[in-house]
Amino acid sequence: MDLKNVFETDGDERAVSPVIGVILMVAITVILAAVIGAFVIGIGGDQETVPQASFSSSQENTADDADDVVIDISHESGESIPEDNVDVTVDGESADDFEDVTTDSFGDPISAGSTYTITDDDDDFDGDETIRVVWTSDDGGDSSILYDFEVR
């Protein structure tokens, strides 16, 4: 037996390695795409939708002192919202905690016609405050500003 003849081919045999390599690369790509797609779709299901609601506001200075301010924020239309999910803020601080300001809540649930009143009798508002109605999801993971108002 001649060792040269053992390793020589007559040209009919072809290599299988490149074909298997291409098939494996395609399979890996398809599996990777499926895993990424499932991950992205799974993330979208965890978010709570922001309620669609329309608010309006009015500001008036009291007759006895032009610096005293009464601001009414009213829910005009849209979805009812549980009061526990809504906070009214003055420059990022809860209006209920704002010093020398009294508030009357919307009521639960907040629905069309509900009004939140902020009364400043001690001249704390100087005309550049931002009042916001902020919604927060039940788990606290999502929040959105539903309405904002600039004090004049």
Side-chain angles (χ1 to χ4, degrees), residues 65-87:
D65 187 348
D67 290 332
D68 292 350
V69 177
V70 176
I71 298 170
D72 290 322
I73 301 171
S74 300
H75 181 284
E76 294 293 317
S77 63
E79 298 177 38
S80 292
I81 308 166
E83 188 177 34
D84 292 342
N85 293 59
V86 174
D87 190 26

Side-chain angles (χ1 to χ4, degrees), residues 15-138:
V16 179
S17 298
V19 174
I20 292 175
V22 169
I23 290 172
L24 287 174
M25 290 299 286
V26 169
I28 290 170
T29 304
V30 169
I31 291 170
L32 189 60
V35 168
I36 291 172
F39 179 70
V40 169
I41 291 171
I43 287 177
D46 292 347
Q47 297 176 348
E48 215 176 305
T49 58
V50 177
Q52 299 298 312
S54 175
F55 291 86
S56 68
S57 57
S58 65
Q59 174 182 339
E60 68 178 66
N61 297 351
T62 58
D64 57 338
D65 187 348
D67 290 332
D68 292 350
V69 177
V70 176
I71 298 170
D72 290 322
I73 301 171
S74 300
H75 181 284
E76 294 293 317
S77 63
E79 298 177 38
S80 292
I81 308 166
E83 188 177 34
D84 292 342
N85 293 59
V86 174
D87 190 26
V88 178
T89 64
V90 178
D91 289 338
E93 184 179 339
S94 177
D96 295 334
D97 298 336
F98 201 78
E99 194 173 316
D100 299 327
V101 171
T102 57
T103 61
D104 292 325
S105 69
F106 281 111
D108 193 30
I110 301 169
S111 58
S114 299
T115 301
Y116 187 96
T117 303
I118 301 172
T119 306
D120 173 25
D121 291 329
D122 292 331
D123 306 332
D124 289 320
F125 291 163
D126 56 11
D128 64 350
E129 290 81 13
T130 301
I131 297 175
R132 291 189 170 101
V133 177
V134 180
W135 170 84
T136 305
S137 64
D138 289 331

